[in-house]
Amino acid sequence: MTDLDIWVRRGCATVVAAVAAYASYEHQREFALHGGADPTGASLWPLSVDGLLVLATVGLLMPNRQGNLRARCAVHLAFFLGIAISMAANVAAAPTLAWQPALVAGWPPVALLLAVALLARGNLT
């Protein structure tokens, strides 16, 4: 694999992550507003979810260090919990719970999950 190929793959994964964050922000904000958050808190709530995902993603992409199983488990738990919360908030904020709006609203966290999984498995590095 050439250096250009590696950078193109990483760039595509970064675009997927950026689009996922952008697409899910308003859904998560709306979810927080309906959940009782004030407007400022609702605007910040998606950043807590996506911030956790960024931290966990960095942890997943770090080289596996032997002997630190507890930390690796915490990183995996943080990532999957962040994806689950993002998915729940996105789908709950869909205009209706029909399959199309739910699919559109739920896709960003799934896309992020798949992009990170590909990076973490070494398929894009």
Side-chain angles (χ1 to χ4, degrees):
M1 199 177 312
T2 67
D3 284 343
L4 177 61
D5 187 44
I6 290 170
W7 283 106
V8 167
R9 290 170 185 257
R10 288 179 181 171
C12 289
T14 301
V15 168
V16 168
V19 169
Y22 175 80
S24 71
Y25 178 85
E26 191 57 34
H27 286 135
Q28 289 185 44
R29 185 179 166 285
E30 185 178 324
F31 176 78
L33 279 171
H34 288 156
D38 63 79
T40 301
S43 295
L44 295 172
W45 195 82
L47 301 177
S48 72
V49 175
D50 292 341
L52 175 65
L53 285 170
V54 169
L55 285 172
T57 299
V58 169
L60 287 172
L61 298 178
M62 297 288 285
N64 194 4
R65 294 188 178 104
Q66 300 298 332
N68 206 352
L69 183 60
R70 180 178 255 169
R72 296 297 290 172
C73 287
V75 167
H76 280 86
L77 176 64
F79 181 75
F80 288 112
L81 184 58
I83 289 292
I85 295 298
S86 181
M87 174 70 82
N90 275 275
V91 171
T96 63
L97 287 180
W99 74 270
Q100 251 179 330
L103 179 63
V104 169
W107 176 248
V110 172
L112 178 62
L113 171 69
L114 295 173
V116 170
L118 289 171
L119 283 172
R121 296 272 183 226
N123 294 339
L124 299 180
T125 58

